[in-house]
Amino acid sequence: MKLLLYYLLIINAAGFLLMLVDKWKAKKNRWRVRESTLLLVAALGGSVGSLAGMYLFRHKTQHLKFTLGIPLILAAQCFVVVLVMALGAK
């Protein structure tokens, strides 16, 4: 359980930092982080950090793929957690 907590902390920090780095690179007209990478990190458990970074840095908030995609990923992850907890309680 502790390992899972560490994993989630790291992957969410990565999602948050990737949003920050991509925003910085966008302002400097530099090479960017791929959208698929941003979404993959969210899907691998970093949806909370990605969502926080997205709105804190005002990055990708005009892209439907992100404004709908990341919250849907987070909702799906919450559903899976509730389902696993409910099945584990039986």
Side-chain angles (χ1 to χ4, degrees):
M1 191 61 138
K2 219 179 220 187
L3 188 60
L4 177 62
L5 180 61
Y6 291 143
Y7 170 77
L8 289 174
L9 287 172
I10 291 167
I11 196 76
N12 278 287
F16 186 81
L17 291 173
L18 281 172
M19 285 293 180
L20 173 63
V21 167
D22 194 49
K23 176 69 175 194
W24 179 80
K25 287 183 175 197
K27 285 183 174 182
K28 301 289 183 183
N29 289 323
R30 293 209 168 155
W31 170 86
R32 305 276 303 277
V33 177
R34 291 180 180 202
E35 287 186 347
S36 60
T37 301
L38 296 172
L39 291 169
L40 179 63
V41 169
L44 291 175
S47 57
V48 173
S50 296
L51 192 63
M54 193 171 89
Y55 284 104
L56 184 67
F57 307 126
R58 295 189 185 114
H59 189 54
K60 301 288 187 186
T61 57
Q62 299 297 312
H63 299 266
L64 197 58
K65 184 189 300 186
F66 286 89
T67 57
L68 286 179
I70 292 182
L72 284 174
I73 291 169
L74 177 58
Q77 290 169 342
C78 289
F79 176 75
V80 168
V81 167
V82 169
L83 186 64
V84 168
M85 290 176 68
L87 292 175
K90 291 184 176 184

